[in-house]
Amino acid sequence: MKLGVGLPTAGVGTSVAAIVRAAEEAERIGLDSVWTFERLMSPVDGAIGIGGTDPTPIPDGYKSVYEPLETLAYVAARTSTITLGPSVLDLLLHSPIVLARRLATLDQLSGGRLLAGVGVGWMIAEFEAAGVPTERRGARLEEHITAMRAVWGPDPVAHDGEFYKIASSWVGPKPVGPDGVALVAGSMAPAAIERAGRLGVGLNPIMTTWEMFEGSVATFRDAAAKAGHDPESLPVVIRVNGAITPSPVDDREPLTGSVEQVLEDLARADRSGADHVLWGPAEDVDEQLGLMAELRRSS
């Protein structure tokens, strides 16, 4: 099982030094990946989700968030083997040709170490700030991925779709691998999970319950197989928004708690179809990395 950790890229107290120190330590102790995330803004009056009505508070850390791809490019220069990933990029806030070129550049700079988590986004204020409509997000996401794959393909590239158009052009650089940048979809809703499988991208769900996760994997693999993809070849990367703890926890979420408890859960995650687990950034980064070193040695 591959293990990854979120870098401390959010909050007014973080720094370049803290980010690099965490990335270098993660590689030193044998972890497989480090991760960033995307957040454009923290509205003063709270955030309203798409389809929501009342603003809700969001974490103080969102007041300052390092840009995910620029951060990973810097980390790429300070590491040599560890996989680099955003979990996730909100695709619809970006032009597909611009984002495709940025991802390809990062893939080249890192020697092909990029695994990109992608999603649709949820905060109305971010869509408004980016000048992007919130309607038909699923269709836009699907075409966005198709357009990026066109950019990563042989030149000249072109795309003529409902939402995006790219004139026949030479566009480079290309990603390291012939199939383009590897993508995993941060999908939770059944329709989004089915879409990920149909498109032949991996899955990057947030762990909630075992029943939900295992049902998601079944839906994902069934959709992938029906679309002609090999489900076993598509990565399933669980995101855990919780921590590994020094002591056992009685009332806990899956893949949280002590090293021994997490080890038991990793066995179930493996049986359920996951091949990679990442833990979001913890409040105490040094403690989390120490515990993950123990987990790595024991797994």
Side-chain angles (χ1 to χ4, degrees):
M1 180 70 70
K2 295 180 180 179
L3 306 179
V5 66
L7 295 173
T9 58
V12 294
T14 195
S15 66
V16 174
I19 293 168
V20 171
R21 184 171 65 250
E24 291 178 338
E25 178 65 6
E27 184 169 81
R28 187 192 70 79
I29 65 177
L31 298 186
D32 299 282
S33 58
V34 290
W35 300 80
T36 56
F37 72 97
E38 181 168 50
R39 185 86 288 126
L40 297 189
M41 58 204 295
S42 178
V44 171
D45 295 326
I48 299 177
I50 295 169
T53 56
D54 298 321
T56 58
I58 55 179
D60 283 344
Y62 288 179
K63 293 176 181 177
S64 177
V65 180
Y66 278 70
E67 272 293 303
L69 299 187
E70 285 79 353
T71 300
L72 291 175
Y74 190 78
V75 167
R78 301 294 296 265
T79 57
S80 58
T81 60
I82 201 162
T83 294
L84 312 168
S87 176
V88 297
L89 295 172
D90 297 329
L91 285 195
L92 302 189
L93 306 182
H94 304 269
S95 153
I97 188 171
V98 173
L99 185 57
R101 294 185 69 253
R102 293 175 67 200
L103 289 170
T105 298
L106 175 54
D107 198 50
Q108 284 287 343
L109 291 172
S110 66
R113 290 188 277 145
L114 181 59
L115 175 60
V118 298
V120 296
W122 62 271
M123 191 190 301
I124 288 178
E126 291 187 330
F127 278 79
E128 291 175 343
V132 177
T134 59
E135 294 77 22
R136 301 190 62 198
R137 296 183 305 283
R140 288 178 185 274
L141 176 73
E142 184 165 345
E143 188 179 323
H144 196 295
I145 290 174
T146 300
M148 288 202 299
R149 284 172 164 171
V151 171
W152 295 331
D155 286 318
V157 305
H159 177 79
D160 185 11
E162 180 181 358
F163 306 109
Y164 307 109
K165 298 186 185 300
I166 302 171
S168 182
S169 306
W170 295 82
V171 181
K174 304 297 183 184
V176 171
D179 297 326
V181 172
L183 302 175
V184 289
S187 303
M188 297 296 290
I193 293 166
E194 186 276 335
R195 183 187 307 114
R198 178 164 43 81
L199 292 174
V201 302
L203 192 64
N204 180 207
I206 297 171
M207 173 56 83
T208 52
T209 67
W210 286 114
E211 292 73 21
M212 182 172 289
F213 170 70
E214 289 163 354
S216 296
V217 172
T219 298
F220 170 71
R221 287 182 165 174
D222 182 62
K226 287 179 179 177
H229 306 293
D230 176 11
E232 300 298 327
S233 69
L234 301 176
V236 175
V237 184
I238 300 174
R239 180 183 178 94
V240 182
N241 288 337
I244 303 171
T245 56
S247 303
V249 177
D250 291 332
D251 185 15
R252 65 188 181 94
E253 302 294 330
L255 293 162
T256 66
S258 69
V259 170
E260 292 75 15
Q261 289 174 311
V262 171
L263 280 170
E264 293 180 4
D265 286 353
L266 285 176
R268 180 168 180 175
D270 180 54
R271 294 192 302 270
S272 300
D275 55 270
H276 202 143
V277 178
L278 77 95
W279 282 263
E283 291 184 9
D284 189 331
V285 177
D286 292 335
E287 178 183 73
Q288 188 75 350
L289 285 169
L291 292 167
M292 292 196 73
E294 183 180 346
L295 181 67
R296 177 80 291 172
R297 289 191 298 268
S298 302
S299 61

